[in-house]
Amino acid sequence: MLVLVLLLTACDGNDNGSDPTSNADDFQLEVSGDFQTTASGFADFDGMSSFGVNTWEISMNDNNPQSLSLQLMLTSSSSDVSRPSPGTYEIGFEPNSAAVFTAIYTHIPEGDFMASEEYSTLSEGYGGTLTITSSSENRVEGSFNFSVAKTDDNFNVTGEIEVIGEFTASKRMN
């Protein structure tokens, strides 16, 4: 029994944060507008290519209960998309852009996925900036400040929020 306890204890280590659930403060953000909140959670990034569409994204989620999901992404079917270098980038909406990030913020009130509301930069006049201060194969760090809109089925704006925050994202473990 003692050997089993020692073996389980030795296997309980974390290899510098590769488990996203163990780093509960990979991002911090504040939201104002339709609702106000502060949140923190884990952030990761990944690039993918599927059916001729190239995407690179930073994804942020909290938990216990999950109240938000935030994606900042580059998407293009006409050019390669890769991990950006340090610098300041536009957040907005430009189809097939390898330079303008799209933001999608999903508000999940009290962990109720059925009541989720999506806010995005897909409506004209919404956006902001993403500043990347450090970018390597395994880690991307920076900050963001943007506004996003909620729309109805006819694409009429029915709400808006402003999101300000910072992050340290690790490469997604596939």
Side-chain angles (χ1 to χ4, degrees):
M1 182 67 98
L2 179 61
V3 173
L4 181 59
V5 169
L6 289 173
L7 183 60
L8 290 175
T9 303
C11 295
D12 191 34
N14 185 338
D15 60 345
N16 297 325
S18 65
D19 176 9
T21 59
S22 69
N23 294 326
D25 293 317
D26 290 346
F27 79 87
Q28 301 83 39
L29 60 76
E30 294 180 25
V31 175
S32 60
D34 286 357
F35 60 93
Q36 288 75 42
T37 192
T38 58
S40 63
F42 64 90
D44 63 4
F45 68 89
D46 198 15
M48 55 206 108
S49 181
S50 182
F51 303 107
V53 177
N54 303 304
T55 303
W56 189 90
E57 75 172 8
I58 300 168
S59 181
M60 297 172 230
N61 297 280
D62 65 348
N63 58 18
N64 291 332
Q66 184 173 1
S67 67
L68 72 92
S69 175
L70 171 59
Q71 281 77 41
L72 301 173
M73 68 187 94
L74 297 170
T75 304
S76 179
S77 61
S78 60
S79 63
D80 287 336
V81 177
S82 60
R83 177 178 41 83
S85 301
T88 299
Y89 296 87
E90 180 182 352
I91 297 175
F93 179 64
E94 185 176 318
N96 278 329
S97 177
V100 176
F101 281 80
T102 300
I104 300 174
Y105 184 106
T106 305
H107 174 55
I108 309 164
E110 299 178 25
D112 182 359
F113 286 89
M114 297 302 289
S116 296
E117 298 177 314
E118 185 175 284
Y119 293 79
S120 74
T121 55
L122 300 178
S123 295
E124 189 174 331
Y126 292 88
T129 58
L130 167 65
T131 301
I132 296 178
T133 56
S134 175
S135 178
S136 70
E137 183 178 329
N138 294 313
R139 182 176 294 252
V140 175
E141 298 179 47
S143 61
F144 48 84
N145 182 346
F146 59 88
S147 61
V148 285
K150 177 176 68 169
T151 59
D152 62 18
D153 292 339
N154 295 317
F155 304 105
N156 298 309
V157 173
T158 60
E160 58 186 46
I161 58 173
E162 183 173 342
V163 184
I164 299 169
E166 56 188 30
F167 65 92
T168 299
S170 300
K171 183 169 178 58
R172 185 170 302 148
M173 303 300 282
N174 293 325

